[in-house]
Amino acid sequence: MKPRFCNGAAAPGWAALLALLLATTAQGAAVAKPTLLQQFRAGPMAGIDDYIFAARRLNDTDGHWYANIGYYAHDPNRKAWREGSKLYRWNMTTGQLRVLLDDPRGGIRDPQVHYDGQRILFSYRRGGTEQYHLFEINADGSGLRQLTDGDYDDFEPTYLPDGGIAFVSTRCKRWVNCWLTQVAVLYRCDQNGRNLRPLSSNNEQDNTPWPMLDGRLLYTRWEYVDRSQVDYHHLWAANPDGTAQINWYGNLHPKIVMIDAKPIPGTDKIVASFSPGHGQREHAGQITIVDPSAGPDNKAFARPVSKGNKFRDPWAFSENCFMVAADASVLVMDATGAQQEIFKLPPEDVAAGMHLHEPRPLMARARERVIPDRIKPTQATGRLVLADVYDGRNMAGVRRGEIKKLLVLESLPMPIHYTGGMDPISYGGTFTLERIVGTVPVEPDGSAHIELPALRSFILVALDENDLAVKRMQSFLTVQPGETTSCLGCHEQRTKSPPLANTRLLATRRAASPVERIEGVPEIMDFPRDIQPILDRLCVDCHGYEKTPAGGPRAGQLLLTADRGPMFSHSYYMMTIARLFSDGRNQPKSNYAPRTLGSSASRILKLVDGSHYGVKATPAQTRILRLWIESGAAYPGTYAALGTGMIGGYAENKQVETDVDWPTTKAAGEVMTQRCTGCHDKAPRLLPRSLSDERGLSFWRPDPDDPRLNTSRHIVFNLSRPEKSLLLLAPLAASAGGWELCRESKAGAPVQVFTSTDDPDYRTLHAFLAAGKERLEKIKRFDMPGFRPRPDWVREMKRYGILPVDADPAAPLDPYAVERSYWESLWYQPMPEVLAKSGQE
């Protein structure tokens, strides 16, 4: 099998290329300018003959960059990988192409060459098996040996200068919070695959770790904490033991997946694939050079190289010499984007749908700097020193002494996901549940010294003397066992050192503060259980269905009852669209100004302070409301609610459990056409014609100013008390118990569309809503008696060892208690002293 250049001609050996380069005419005239490859082989690529790469088939049904391992949540028989893969070695000089490993049913990916140039580390899923594991093979194809095993996927490995291996793994037992595939986060092991341990607590993907010249690991971290789930996946760095995790570049710049980053020899710069938007399949993007000298936020210091977004897996020989993959080819590219195809997979691979991945030179190379371990595996906690909470970006208007404490929240992993959106966790807001851990003090100089459990994801909220939010993290931090780490302040400036006055911190003159639990508050809030009783006590007398618009117009504008709509309760939906709380929503924005997120910016707290018609919450009620907002303002307090109890919910971003074909829905649609279309003929007054009719509204990022929200299916249909549906109350005469809101014109006299509940068309609409109530009572929402999580949720809890493998899927269980056991099973367990000293697990 001979490699071919892009013109189809067979590539000659290096000797022939050199002869061509040096040839002259009889008159001594020079021949044409050397090709890009010829220039590189005379320079940065000189003396490197052999290269390795993988060829494999792609998941062509899913465009997500990470959807290439494991199975899909709702169907374990549907795999995110495809069968068929090879590991190749190619000699550029002779053109010889050798197959080091061929598995027609397996998967081979992520090869990396050892420092000695004689071994290749890669991830391999043997044909007929389910999981990828780490393998090593000699450069001549001999000596294949397996390093890791088990029921989870290990992939994207890299050799570490200390002799260990870093990789990503689904051993973290969590799923993407907005998709139907599993999460893999950073792990490490020794050179034989033993002593595995996590380095990351991320809820979402970590990807493509690689050592930088200074010895730290550079990797991609995807996260969304109170901000858009599709916009933040940037470059982070950590020591090889997981300590000192810090944003390396881009965390304030949305809409790029920065991935496959590697150092450029002889510089502090890196080359990476910048995959646009939420990323393209298999990391395809624009080859980009990043210079970190101006800090992590300077967009001008990320310079695009390639023209177009089809390139991946860059390798740098110098600042002006790169090797990249594209489709089935290897290309060389210079810093201007000029490129030349130097190899293409054999026709039989192309015909089989294979793509070429991870081209690497087969050569020896120097080890990076070795950073000694800083962890203490016998300890359960680590410590964080915050130098000055007032020192940071976008802190204008915050007075010294204003911040009294920090609220500590924990972002909780999701055991499985089905919908593709955040429903029903929130309506356009958070995807993730957050645990209320407690508070720690802030000293008068702005410093704090905190003891935190190791390897969990924490969010800090700066609170004032009234416990209201001043500033909030929109990211998370973690500490390793025994680690002491630090930050300068809130959203700190990364390009300046702290003032000398900050070197003698009040908080460090004492022991670290353990997080003090907040008494009388559930750790994880549940809206129907914890918030609705407060609304019932304080608000529903006025903001309920019994208070008609004629007697109090507020009721028709803001309903705060517990009645269920097709997906949410009416109160949760109305509090969301009325913007009674501020949680950051699902927007591509980060680092808000002080007091624009959380409790300080949430109107509901001002409406219950006594100034609104004398309504005054007790201190305990205020605390519950405030902490519900600070912890993301979710609807359920359990992930078991996902994919359940919704008419017109979603699965894989497509609506399911719809009612459009129900006879009652069709009959109701005909009535609305006859009796309502005269006024409700177009948006925003157009009425939903079914329980699942979104009328074009986004289910995951609705515009809060869209007037259609006021007549959404989530509020006009009442599936707890069908007769209290706005669809029936608005057109019904007041004498018959209705609200008589329909009018001849916008400012005209009221119209009694239905003078009596005996009207046949009224009865048809009521039957439509009663059918919805009956269906909801059958499928059951999380807060309804007899609720059962989906079988997939139970399946994963069995796989994680939380439920017995023989547990009856139909038997009653408490999803709140089961999920607590699941989260606790992920907590770091300190290693006994004797094992730590011996280096064993």
Side-chain angles (χ1 to χ4, degrees):
M1 292 178 284
K2 295 280 289 184
R4 296 183 177 274
F5 287 142
C6 53
N7 63 4
W14 175 239
L17 286 172
L18 186 60
L20 178 64
L21 179 63
L22 299 177
T24 58
T25 66
Q27 290 78 25
V31 298
K33 180 182 177 181
T35 67
L36 202 59
L37 178 61
Q38 290 168 348
Q39 296 174 51
F40 288 165
R41 294 214 67 188
M45 297 173 68
I48 307 171
D49 291 332
D50 288 286
Y51 296 81
I52 62 165
F53 43 82
R56 65 179 181 273
R57 294 180 59 226
L58 309 183
N59 180 358
D60 53 3
T61 63
D62 192 326
H64 295 93
W65 88 90
Y66 52 84
N68 45 38
I69 48 94
Y71 54 84
Y72 284 80
H74 60 297
D75 183 5
N77 293 316
R78 179 184 166 193
K79 311 302 182 186
W81 41 260
R82 296 293 180 266
E83 293 184 342
S85 191
K86 299 176 183 178
L87 179 63
Y88 278 120
R89 174 175 174 172
W90 172 52
N91 186 286
M92 187 182 294
T93 300
T94 65
Q96 182 186 22
L97 183 64
R98 296 176 55 192
V99 178
L100 300 182
L101 184 61
D102 182 1
D103 192 332
R105 295 189 57 204
I108 300 165
R109 51 177 296 167
D110 317 314
Q112 192 203 23
V113 179
H114 191 268
Y115 297 101
D116 63 14
Q118 301 300 311
R119 288 176 282 162
I120 301 167
L121 175 68
F122 62 104
S123 184
Y124 178 28
R125 182 189 55 78
R126 289 185 186 271
T129 68
E130 296 283 314
Q131 282 81 34
Y132 281 93
H133 293 301
L134 305 189
F135 281 75
E136 200 172 46
I137 195 171
N138 294 331
D140 63 2
S142 66
L144 177 69
R145 67 187 187 109
Q146 184 171 344
L147 304 181
T148 64
D149 59 14
D151 295 330
Y152 298 92
D153 289 283
D154 305 321
F155 57 105
E156 294 180 349
T158 184
Y159 288 113
L160 296 174
D162 62 11
I165 295 170
F167 58 103
V168 300
S169 178
T170 61
R171 297 170 188 269
C172 58
K173 301 177 182 177
R174 60 202 66 179
W175 290 64
V176 175
N177 284 195
C178 61
W179 199 234
L180 288 71
T181 55
Q182 297 173 58
V183 163
V185 303
L186 282 178
Y187 275 70
R188 69 164 292 157
C189 63
D190 65 22
Q191 61 184 346
N192 293 314
R194 294 191 296 266
N195 299 318
L196 284 83
R197 64 179 183 86
L199 303 182
S200 170
S201 62
N202 197 357
N203 281 1
E204 300 300 338
Q205 300 285 146
D206 296 326
N207 283 102
T208 61
W210 201 275
M212 293 188 289
L213 299 180
D214 64 9
R216 293 183 297 162
L217 272 178
L218 184 65
Y219 63 99
T220 301
R221 173 163 133 174
W222 175 26
E223 60 172 60
Y224 38 96
V225 177
D226 303 329
R227 55 182 181 173
S228 166
Q229 94 278 18
V230 296
D231 288 319
Y232 291 91
H233 1 58
H234 300 107
L235 296 176
W236 285 69
N239 292 334
D241 64 354
T243 58
Q245 295 183 19
I246 192 169
N247 170 234
W248 194 84
Y249 186 80
N251 201 41
L252 290 182
H253 305 313
K255 301 184 184 301
I256 300 173
V257 177
M258 302 176 182
I259 202 161
D260 283 310
K262 300 176 188 65
I264 298 176
T267 76
D268 292 328
K269 302 174 184 178
I270 61 97
V271 62
S273 171
F274 275 31
S275 197
H278 188 37
Q280 298 187 92
R281 182 182 292 116
E282 294 288 345
H283 311 179
Q286 187 171 41
I287 304 303
T288 303
I289 296 173
V290 181
D291 180 350
S293 61
D297 304 320
N298 193 317
K299 294 181 73 172
F301 277 61
R303 183 173 65 82
V305 173
S306 67
K307 298 172 177 63
N309 296 309
K310 69 175 184 178
F311 308 99
R312 60 179 179 271
D313 305 324
W315 180 276
F317 294 93
S318 74
E319 285 190 75
N320 191 47
C321 178
F322 307 99
M323 181 171 60
V324 302
D327 298 324
S329 300
V330 179
L331 301 91
V332 288
M333 182 180 296
D334 70 13
T336 71
Q339 64 190 56
Q340 179 185 349
E341 183 184 72
I342 62 172
F343 177 86
K344 188 169 185 177
L345 287 176
E348 59 268 26
D349 289 350
V350 176
M354 289 190 181
H355 287 64
L356 189 148
H357 292 266
E358 300 103 19
R360 313 275 193 251
L362 186 60
M363 65 176 187
R365 56 193 173 93
R367 291 178 185 263
E368 299 84 8
R369 172 176 169 253
V370 175
I371 300 176
D373 278 1
R374 291 166 48 188
I375 68 163
K376 298 176 182 177
T378 59
Q379 297 187 12
T381 63
R383 284 152 294 284
L384 171 71
V385 176
L386 171 64
D388 186 356
V389 73
Y390 304 101
D391 183 9
R393 296 166 292 190
N394 210 1
M395 293 291 287
V398 179
R399 305 182 311 275
R400 284 205 164 267
E402 185 175 351
I403 296 172
K404 302 299 184 182
K405 64 181 73 168
L406 299 174
L407 173 66
V408 181
L409 304 170
E410 181 180 1
S411 186
L412 295 170
M414 185 179 286
I416 192 168
H417 188 84
Y418 317 98
T419 73
M422 71 288 292
D423 52 301
I425 304 298
S426 71
Y427 183 58
T430 184
F431 286 76
T432 307
L433 300 179
E434 295 172 2
R435 175 187 279 119
I436 299 162
V437 184
T439 61
V440 292
V442 172
E443 302 296 334
D445 65 349
S447 64
H449 189 191
I450 315 168
E451 184 174 19
L452 294 168
L455 281 165
R456 289 158 65 181
S457 298
F458 295 109
I459 305 160
L460 303 181
V461 184
L463 303 178
D464 65 14
E465 61 184 0
N466 298 312
D467 288 339
L468 296 176
V470 179
K471 189 75 171 179
R472 179 185 180 90
M473 284 181 69
Q474 288 184 272
S475 183
F476 72 89
L477 63 89
T478 191
V479 294
Q480 298 292 320
E483 176 185 11
T484 297
T485 190
S486 64
C487 57
L488 299 183
C490 276
H491 302 268
E492 65 195 41
Q493 300 280 1
R494 298 274 172 77
T495 55
K496 69 174 187 178
S497 299
L500 289 177
N502 285 352
T503 59
R504 291 177 54 82
L505 307 177
L506 294 176
T508 57
R509 301 179 187 180
R510 55 168 173 77
S513 301
V515 182
E516 182 178 351
R517 190 176 184 278
I518 303 172
E519 296 298 328
V521 173
E523 289 186 346
I524 302 163
M525 293 287 190
D526 184 274
F527 185 90
R529 182 192 66 203
D530 302 317
I531 305 303
Q532 188 63 50
I534 298 174
L535 302 180
D536 290 343
R537 179 70 62 87
L538 300 178
C539 308
V540 170
D541 279 352
C542 289
H543 294 280
Y545 287 99
E546 285 69 28
K547 194 78 168 182
T548 67
R554 296 184 306 281
Q557 298 169 1
L558 183 65
L559 291 163
L560 295 177
T561 66
D563 297 273
R564 299 182 181 94
M567 187 177 289
F568 305 100
S569 72
H570 285 179
S571 54
Y572 184 81
Y573 176 76
M574 291 302 291
M575 286 186 71
T576 300
I577 69 167
R579 287 179 269 192
L580 295 187
F581 54 85
S582 174
D583 64 340
R585 313 310 294 152
N586 183 36
Q587 299 297 321
K589 184 178 179 181
S590 191
N591 196 8
Y592 286 69
R595 296 189 181 275
T596 54
L597 283 184
S599 52
S600 289
S602 294
R603 290 198 299 137
I604 185 63
L605 295 180
K606 297 177 176 62
L607 295 173
V608 297
D609 66 358
S611 61
H612 179 69
Y613 295 93
V615 175
K616 187 172 179 61
T618 67
Q621 291 170 332
T622 299
R623 186 184 309 116
I624 293 286
L625 283 170
R626 175 177 61 81
L627 290 170
W628 170 68
I629 294 167
E630 308 294 23
S631 59
Y635 178 40
T638 171
Y639 288 127
L642 287 161
T644 63
M646 297 177 286
I647 298 175
Y650 290 83
E652 205 166 347
N653 291 341
K654 300 179 181 66
Q655 263 199 319
V656 295
E657 187 66 51
T658 65
D659 65 315
V660 292
D661 292 327
W662 296 2
T664 51
T665 299
K666 293 180 178 179
E670 293 175 1
V671 169
M672 283 188 268
T673 298
Q674 296 169 7
R675 306 291 293 268
C676 307
T677 303
C679 292
H680 298 279
D681 58 340
K682 57 185 177 181
R685 294 172 58 83
L686 186 68
L687 294 174
R689 296 305 179 93
S690 73
L691 301 175
S692 48
D693 183 7
E694 297 280 27
R695 297 173 305 150
L697 282 166
S698 168
F699 78 98
W700 66 276
R701 191 180 278 177
D703 180 354
D705 295 318
D706 193 325
R708 290 177 295 173
L709 293 172
N710 296 314
T711 52
S712 162
R713 69 188 182 104
H714 300 299
I715 192 61
V716 300
F717 303 137
N718 190 323
L719 303 187
S720 295
R721 297 179 288 171
E723 69 279 4
K724 297 298 184 182
S725 295
L726 297 184
L727 179 68
L728 296 179
L729 289 174
L732 182 63
S735 60
W739 288 0
E740 208 169 296
L741 291 179
C742 294
R743 297 178 178 274
E744 291 181 349
S745 64
K746 190 173 183 180
V751 174
Q752 298 177 354
V753 178
F754 300 125
T755 60
S756 166
T757 58
D758 293 327
D759 186 302
D761 287 342
Y762 177 97
R763 302 307 304 167
T764 297
L765 294 180
H766 187 278
F768 153 64
L769 295 162
K773 176 184 179 181
E774 182 181 355
R775 180 60 182 168
L776 182 58
E777 289 174 346
K778 182 177 181 179
I779 61 176
K780 296 190 182 301
R781 194 163 295 171
F782 67 95
D783 61 334
M784 298 171 70
F787 166 75
R788 286 286 302 174
R790 287 176 56 137
D792 318 277
W793 183 92
V794 175
R795 179 198 72 220
E796 292 303 300
M797 289 301 181
K798 290 181 179 181
R799 186 165 77 105
Y800 301 152
I802 307 304
L803 292 175
V805 293
D806 58 352
D808 182 359
L813 57 77
D814 180 352
Y816 298 88
V818 173
E819 282 196 336
R820 182 176 183 88
S821 296
Y822 157 71
W823 290 316
E824 290 180 354
S825 75
L826 304 175
W827 292 359
Y828 176 75
Q829 298 299 318
M831 187 181 296
E833 190 78 33
V834 62
L835 293 182
K837 289 181 178 179
S838 66
Q840 302 299 311
E841 289 188 35

